[in-house]
Amino acid sequence: MRKPIIAGNWKMNKTPDEAAALINDLKPLVASAQAEVVVCPPATDLAAAAAALAGSNISLGAQNMDYHDSGAYTGEVSADMLLGLGVKYVIIGHSERREYYAETDETVNLKVLKALEKGLTPIVCVGEKLEERESGVTAEVVRKQTKLALLNVAQGDVAKVVVAYEPIWAIGTGKTATSDDANNTIKEIRAAIKEVFGNVAEEVRIQYGGSMNPKNATELMAMSDIDGGLIGGASLKAEDFSKVVNY
Ligand code: PEP
């Protein structure tokens, strides 16, 4: 019912030439994937990546965008600029952007609304910090982040949104949530969407992210509510990423 979606978040890695090389290695390895496949290179690689992806089953995503249409926002990239490069997806509110670049629930929401208005698919990241998990407030944290990220989203747009549940303590650490924990938290996220928007919540794809790799992908993807993955480290090697994609 929900088509799985596996996206690679390359973060601040790869030059344009390296991006094209990685994509060329990846293409044959994922050509018959059942899941939707997305790569999210840095903004400076998007043009080279788009050229390398032409004619493949892999879609292009960005790692961030501004919520203004244009103007005096030095260093920022707009939705139209991404669309002009063939970008279809945009990661919004990754925990690294929340932590290092002062993104808030409010700016995340503005970006989600702008992405939807422009026809980009937002991949909205939510997830708890270690101390929040240890204090037993994971469900409240992800429910609140999800509802605030989706504030004022039109009913007809909700099913277009992809949510990535990324427990912050599991990102880049080699620690993964157990498949049951990840699935249960994703159920909380789905329930929060349902409280606001109703049964369309069943159509929203919710990924797991946090040290997902070729070894744990099969188990995570077998869970009832995990509809894909947002992959950091393991997306930088074609073979590893393809194994996750072909879980
Ligand atoms: C991420 O940054 O979205 C991520 C999940 O990273 P990693 O897979 O390296 O933990």
Side-chain angles (χ1 to χ4, degrees):
M1 183 179 74
R2 298 184 295 261
K3 185 171 183 181
I5 174 167
I6 312 276
N9 172 15
W10 294 6
K11 311 194 184 190
M12 197 173 73
N13 294 292
K14 307 289 178 189
T15 64
D17 284 350
E18 290 168 346
L22 174 51
I23 287 167
N24 285 330
D25 287 346
L26 184 63
K27 282 194 291 190
L29 302 177
V30 301
S32 45
Q34 301 299 304
E36 214 169 312
V37 189
V38 182
V39 290
C40 303
T44 46
D45 292 355
L46 289 170
L53 289 171
S56 78
N57 61 329
I58 308 170
S59 298
L60 188 58
Q63 297 175 15
N64 179 37
M65 58 164 239
D66 195 76
Y67 55 84
H68 298 94
D69 282 332
S70 63
Y73 302 102
T74 302
E76 290 298 319
V77 171
S78 74
D80 286 334
M81 293 169 187
L82 297 179
L83 288 163
L85 289 170
V87 170
K88 300 255 184 306
Y89 294 84
V90 57
I91 299 171
I92 293 177
H94 190 280
S95 60
E96 287 153 15
R97 295 213 54 89
R98 292 181 192 250
E99 184 178 350
Y100 307 139
Y101 303 100
E103 293 217 9
T104 63
D105 287 328
E106 190 186 358
T107 58
V108 167
N109 176 239
L110 291 170
K111 290 179 181 195
V112 168
L113 294 174
K114 182 57 68 179
L116 290 167
E117 176 197 322
K118 295 288 184 175
L120 288 163
T121 297
I123 300 177
V124 190
C125 301
V126 299
E128 81 286 2
K129 298 178 184 142
L130 184 59
E131 59 266 31
E132 291 167 333
R133 166 155 291 248
E134 287 172 346
S135 308
V137 296
T138 296
E140 285 99 312
V141 168
V142 298
R143 278 172 160 273
K144 182 177 170 204
Q145 286 177 338
T146 303
K147 287 185 179 179
L148 291 176
L150 300 184
L151 202 67
N152 297 323
V153 168
Q155 184 70 28
D157 280 343
V158 179
K160 297 175 191 163
V161 175
V162 176
V163 179
Y165 165 54
E166 299 209 307
I168 295 170
W169 49 269
I171 296 179
T173 58
K175 291 182 192 157
T176 324
T178 66
S179 46
D180 278 327
D181 268 355
N183 199 47
N184 287 335
T185 307
I186 285 175
K187 282 184 181 172
E188 295 284 353
I189 293 168
R190 200 177 301 289
I193 299 171
K194 199 167 190 167
E195 281 166 17
V196 181
F197 297 101
N199 284 337
V200 71
E202 297 300 331
E203 295 170 43
V204 175
R205 292 179 296 175
I206 308 180
Q207 301 170 313
Y208 169 77
S211 299
M212 195 162 163
N213 59 45
K215 290 202 178 81
N216 56 30
T218 311
E219 185 183 332
L220 286 161
M221 290 302 296
M223 303 307 291
S224 64
D225 279 65
I226 300 181
D227 306 318
L230 184 56
I231 321 301
S235 71
L236 294 171
K237 290 190 181 145
E239 203 174 322
D240 285 352
F241 188 58
S242 72
K243 284 182 184 156
V244 177
V245 166
N246 299 314
Y247 55 92

